[in-house]
């Protein structure tokens, strides 16, 4: 009797595991198939795509993307904007987070909660006042218009503040005894101690800037300054609109830096976890 019940429990357990794996495989296919389909069509001529998804694969679409479209300029613009935005984001967010943790001043907690309250505002609600501000500053159609509104964020300040709170107070007291200034403690202790959080925020900031669409569409008007996401939209409105192979190849090229950042971030995140466990 007991053997029968144990066998039935084992069968139910295996059925449950099999169902979970089947569900995970189904969800994986749903997520991956559109990406695979887009990558596949990027190697097919547009005439073939219109008829079927089978045919001779070639690199012609990628060659045309580099020679017939300003995608290299779009990539350069996005790279410059994303790197500047990422560095500024890390610096200003970490400075603000340090102040909220290690400096004593009046209404410190109230100001921090006020910063957190801004996280409840959607970006769409800020577009109109930000647009009027940058227009009054004569920054439209300029690199600065895509950097200045995103120099820092409440999320970045909150994230790094939580990381700085994990620093033992004994370290700060020892630094004060040794005569370290706030700037020295910030550079030598706070930043190295919170390396994983900084790398995570760097990846988050870079990807957020790289994938921006609405704000560049409103504030840039020439290919000389358009980032990649707005540049892809521009391809649909030009003579290449019906060349789906070319458009798919351009989209695949744009995704490459995103994948590099994701794999890079994952590598450092795992390294940091292993390093922390050893310590």
């Amino acid at each position: 009797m007991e053997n029968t019940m144990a066998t039935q429990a084992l069968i139910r357990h295996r059925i449950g595991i099999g169902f979970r794996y089947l569900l995970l495989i189904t969800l994986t296919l749903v997520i991956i198939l559109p990406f695979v389909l887009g990558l596949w069509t990027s190697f097919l001529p547009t005439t073939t795509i219109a008829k079927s998804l089978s045919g001779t694969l070639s690199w012609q679409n990628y060659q045309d993307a580099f020679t017939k479209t300003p995608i290299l300029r779009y990539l350069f613009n996005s790279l410059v904007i994303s790197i500047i935005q990422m560095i500024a984001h890390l610096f200003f967010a970490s400075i603000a987070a340090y102040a909220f943790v290690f400096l004593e001043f009046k209404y410190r907690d109230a100001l921090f909660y006020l910063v957190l309250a801004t996280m409840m505002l959607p970006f769409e609600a800020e577009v109109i006042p930000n647009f009027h501000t940058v227009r009054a500053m004569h920054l439209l159609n300029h690199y600065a218009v895509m950097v200045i509104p995103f120099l820092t964020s409440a999320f970045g300040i909150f994230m790094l503040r939580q990381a700085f709170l994990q620093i033992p107070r004994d370290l700060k007291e020892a630094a004060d005894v040794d005569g370290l200034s706030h700037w020295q403690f910030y550079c030598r202790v706070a930043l190295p101690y919170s390396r994983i959080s900084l790398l995570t925020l760097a990846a988050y900031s870079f990807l957020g800037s790289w994938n921006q669409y609405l704000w560049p569409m409103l504030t840039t008007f020439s290919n000389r300054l358009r980032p990649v996401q707005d540049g892809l939209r521009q391809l649909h409105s030009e003579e290449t609109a019906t060349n789906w192979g070319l458009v798919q190849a351009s989209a695949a090229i744009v995704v490459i830096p995103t994948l590099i950042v994701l794999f890079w971030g994952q590598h450092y995140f795992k390294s940091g976890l292993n390093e922390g466990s050893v310590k």
Side-chain angles (χ1 to χ4, degrees):
M1 182 67 178
E2 293 181 358
N3 291 336
T4 303
M5 294 179 62
T7 303
Q8 292 176 350
L10 180 60
I11 292 174
R12 287 195 297 269
H13 177 68
R14 290 180 176 177
I15 291 175
I17 292 178
F19 177 77
R20 285 196 291 270
Y21 274 105
L22 179 62
L23 180 61
L24 289 174
I25 292 172
T26 303
L27 293 176
T28 301
L29 291 175
V30 170
I31 295 173
I32 292 180
L33 278 179
F35 176 78
V36 174
L37 182 62
L39 185 62
W40 176 266
T41 54
S42 69
F43 291 99
L44 296 175
T46 300
T47 54
T48 303
I49 297 174
K51 297 177 182 179
S52 65
L53 295 179
S54 60
T56 303
L57 303 182
S58 70
W59 293 94
Q60 187 61 43
N61 289 328
Y62 288 88
Q63 182 179 344
D64 292 342
F66 285 114
T67 57
K68 296 182 180 180
T69 70
I71 191 170
L72 286 177
R73 184 67 194 188
Y74 297 153
L75 290 170
F76 174 78
N77 291 339
S78 282
L79 189 63
V80 170
I81 294 166
S82 298
I83 290 177
I84 294 176
Q85 206 176 108
M86 178 186 67
I87 294 174
H89 199 170
L90 289 176
F91 176 73
F92 289 112
S94 60
I95 286 290
Y98 183 91
F100 283 127
V101 174
F102 295 106
L103 298 184
E104 297 289 342
F105 55 90
K106 195 174 183 180
Y107 305 123
R108 184 184 68 175
D109 293 339
L111 287 174
F112 175 69
Y113 293 134
L114 182 62
V115 170
L116 286 185
T118 63
M119 294 177 63
M120 295 186 292
L121 292 174
F123 175 72
E124 289 76 9
E126 306 170 8
V127 168
I128 295 177
N130 282 344
F131 182 83
H132 284 294
T133 301
V134 296
R135 186 178 63 178
M137 297 173 65
H138 305 288
L139 294 178
L140 292 179
N141 206 38
H142 193 277
Y143 280 129
V145 77
M146 289 174 284
V147 174
I148 292 177
F150 308 99
L151 290 177
T152 188
S153 69
F155 172 78
I157 295 173
F158 170 76
M159 181 178 178
L160 294 183
R161 177 181 178 272
Q162 296 303 112
F164 291 161
L165 286 173
Q166 304 303 315
I167 299 176
R169 286 290 174 177
D170 294 343
L171 285 178
K172 185 66 175 72
E173 294 174 359
D176 293 338
V177 171
D178 291 339
L180 265 66
S181 64
H182 281 294
W183 179 254
Q184 291 173 323
F185 183 79
Y186 165 79
C187 294
R188 298 181 184 179
V189 180
L191 294 185
Y193 193 92
S194 307
R195 183 170 63 96
I196 301 303
S197 296
L198 289 169
L199 290 173
T200 303
L201 182 60
Y204 168 84
S205 176
F206 184 91
L207 293 176
S209 176
W210 187 270
N211 293 318
Q212 275 187 4
Y213 172 74
L214 177 60
W215 184 251
M217 182 183 67
L218 295 175
T219 56
T220 58
F221 318 118
S222 65
N223 288 334
R224 187 176 62 86
L225 293 166
R226 283 193 179 97
V228 289
Q229 303 302 333
D230 193 42
L232 287 178
R233 179 193 63 84
Q234 190 67 18
L235 292 181
H236 288 276
S237 61
E238 295 179 348
E239 63 275 4
T240 58
T242 57
N243 193 340
W244 292 109
L246 176 61
V247 173
Q248 290 290 354
S250 301
I253 294 170
V254 168
V255 170
I256 292 175
T258 301
L259 296 178
I260 292 174
V261 171
L262 287 175
F263 283 116
W264 172 83
Q266 184 182 33
H267 167 74
Y268 277 95
F269 180 70
K270 290 181 178 179
S271 299
L273 287 180
N274 293 334
E275 182 179 309
S277 63
V278 172
K279 288 183 180 180

